Amino acid sequence: MLTGVQIVLIGGDARQLEVIRRLSEMDAVVTVAGFDQLHTPLDGAVRSEMNEELFRHADALVLPAVGTEDDGQILAVFSDRELVLKDEHVALLPKHCTIYAGMAKPYLRLLCEKYGIRLVELFDRDDVAIYNSIPTAEGALMMAIQNTDITLHGSSCMVLGFGRTGFTMARTLQGLGAHVQVGVRREEHLARAYEMGFKPFHVRDLLSYVGNIDLLFNTIPTMIVTAQIIANLPSRAVIIDLASKPGGTDFRFAEKRGIKALLAPGLPGIVAPRTAGRIIAECLSRLIMEETSKRGNAQ
Ligand code: NAP
């Protein structure tokens, strides 16, 4: 339980409602800012402005998926006010406070470093990334279905990258009866992909494999689907780029060639906000509990 633990949660989207619910269920004292336009009750959480008191007693500060923008702005879909995390806010946090965010941009990282505040980026964690790969793959399937005129069953699909997202993506497509080629760079991934019934190839040979595919799902967060690759794709092919912005596709050239190429960021929060919220909530509550018990032992 989190009895008596003071948790401040600022901004976010529908995912944070699950987080608030879970933390309140665990008896934490939850204070939130950035929910002024949400007219439903907030499961025992107290609403507040972004004032000094909010920060002074926080044991944990929970920020949204993208912690802050590079000017300190915090996304808050349930508020029409501007929320900005400033230097003076972080300076007020007790030294034992931890900031949790899905991921952090340099602005937030630097602030945490400057004031010696621990920062946890939840989406970096293997467990969160693997759970998140489920709604990500479902969202990618939705986009694939919406943007093609063929069934995925029997289609020729290619997945680039065999990490936490690529693995789930490839398996999900295979489950639907697609023929799945997987582009990897490690020998052990080549072996595993073969064992799982995919057609694996080395990404350095990508050019030789793109001549006859219907759908290309990229999870490699670097420029990989270059103009040269796109020039060799059949004109019917659709590219769904799952890698974080700016993706790994030459979108300008794809447009020029008339190939449909879609950058698809943040799918879990779009297609399954409640599930995505639960994934964050479960991990967050466990981490805060561990941190609290460590602090208790140290006292
Ligand atoms: P990951 O587990 O690190 O997997 C990345 C894969 O890319 C690995 O197989 C890695 O190979 C490969 N790779 C990286 N750089 C490469 C290069 N230069 N050449 C060839 N292969 C390379 O990451 P993940 O969790 O699957 O996430 C992948 C991307 O999707 C990230 O950008 C992430 O932010 C994004 N993402 C997007 C969504 C969405 O909604 N669109 C959701 C979740 C994640 P090695 O294993 O050999 O390193």
Side-chain angles (χ1 to χ4, degrees):
M1 294 295 280
L2 292 169
T3 306
V5 180
Q6 306 262 351
I7 301 176
V8 171
L9 187 145
I10 305 177
D13 53 31
R15 286 174 278 188
Q16 301 306 73
L17 304 180
E18 281 299 313
V19 175
I20 294 168
R21 195 186 55 73
R22 180 78 182 126
L23 295 174
S24 298
E25 228 171 56
M26 295 189 72
D27 204 24
V29 181
V30 184
T31 312
V32 303
F35 291 83
D36 39 284
Q37 295 296 311
L38 183 75
H39 301 299
T40 51
L42 265 175
D43 291 309
V46 176
R47 297 174 204 240
S48 163
E49 300 294 320
M50 272 184 72
N51 54 31
E52 288 191 3
E53 276 314 294
L54 187 66
F55 295 92
R56 219 184 276 284
H57 305 291
D59 295 312
L61 171 60
V62 180
L63 297 174
V66 177
T68 70
E69 294 305 322
D70 262 332
D71 55 1
Q73 286 215 44
I74 302 172
L75 173 112
V77 300
F78 298 115
S79 177
D80 50 13
R81 300 186 198 162
E82 189 174 71
L83 300 174
V84 180
L85 186 74
K86 297 185 182 147
D87 220 279
E88 58 260 36
H89 295 141
V90 181
L92 283 167
L93 291 171
K95 286 293 169 241
H96 70 262
C97 177
T98 301
I99 297 184
Y100 298 90
M103 52 163 283
K105 293 197 173 184
Y107 176 90
L108 181 59
R109 288 211 189 108
L110 286 173
L111 270 187
C112 290
E113 260 169 44
K114 181 171 174 187
Y115 292 101
I117 296 290
R118 192 169 155 257
L119 172 67
V120 175
E121 294 183 59
L122 297 167
F123 295 168
D124 261 0
R125 294 174 53 92
D126 273 344
D127 54 353
V128 174
I130 292 169
Y131 286 125
N132 257 338
S133 72
I134 302 168
T136 304
E138 287 192 13
L141 288 187
M142 176 192 79
M143 295 183 72
I145 291 166
Q146 283 171 342
N147 287 283
T148 52
D149 54 7
I150 54 169
T151 56
L152 291 171
H153 186 279
S155 67
S156 295
C157 292
M158 176 178 283
V159 177
L160 298 180
F162 203 49
R164 297 162 302 189
T165 308
F167 195 95
T168 306
M169 189 72 241
R171 224 171 38 74
T172 306
L173 289 165
Q174 189 184 46
L176 283 172
H179 304 290
V180 187
Q181 299 186 74
V182 179
V184 304
R185 66 173 170 184
R186 291 201 231 167
E187 293 305 321
E188 65 267 35
H189 284 170
L190 218 58
R192 178 57 71 199
Y194 170 78
E195 176 276 324
M196 290 180 74
F198 303 123
K199 290 187 193 124
F201 65 91
H202 209 292
V203 277
R204 67 172 169 244
D205 303 324
L206 177 58
L207 192 57
S208 343
Y209 288 87
V210 291
N212 189 27
I213 59 169
D214 299 307
L215 280 148
L216 190 161
F217 298 86
N218 177 48
T219 74
I220 298 179
T222 188
M223 177 51 68
I224 186 101
V225 188
T226 58
Q228 196 190 14
I229 299 294
I230 294 167
N232 283 277
L233 282 169
S235 56
R236 66 175 191 278
V238 174
I239 302 168
I240 297 178
D241 198 332
L242 300 170
S244 52
K245 280 183 193 166
T249 303
D250 187 335
F251 289 98
R252 185 203 60 81
F253 187 74
E255 191 178 354
K256 189 170 170 195
R257 235 215 96 190
I259 297 256
K260 210 183 266 183
L262 309 158
L263 184 61
L267 287 174
I270 296 168
V271 297
R274 184 128 50 106
T275 306
R278 275 192 206 139
I279 292 168
I280 297 170
E282 287 306 318
C283 178
L284 190 60
S285 52
R286 204 176 55 246
L287 292 180
I288 297 177
M289 214 149 53
E290 281 169 16
E291 194 54 36
T292 307
S293 76
K294 252 194 257 162
R295 222 177 35 250
N297 293 340
Q299 278 164 8

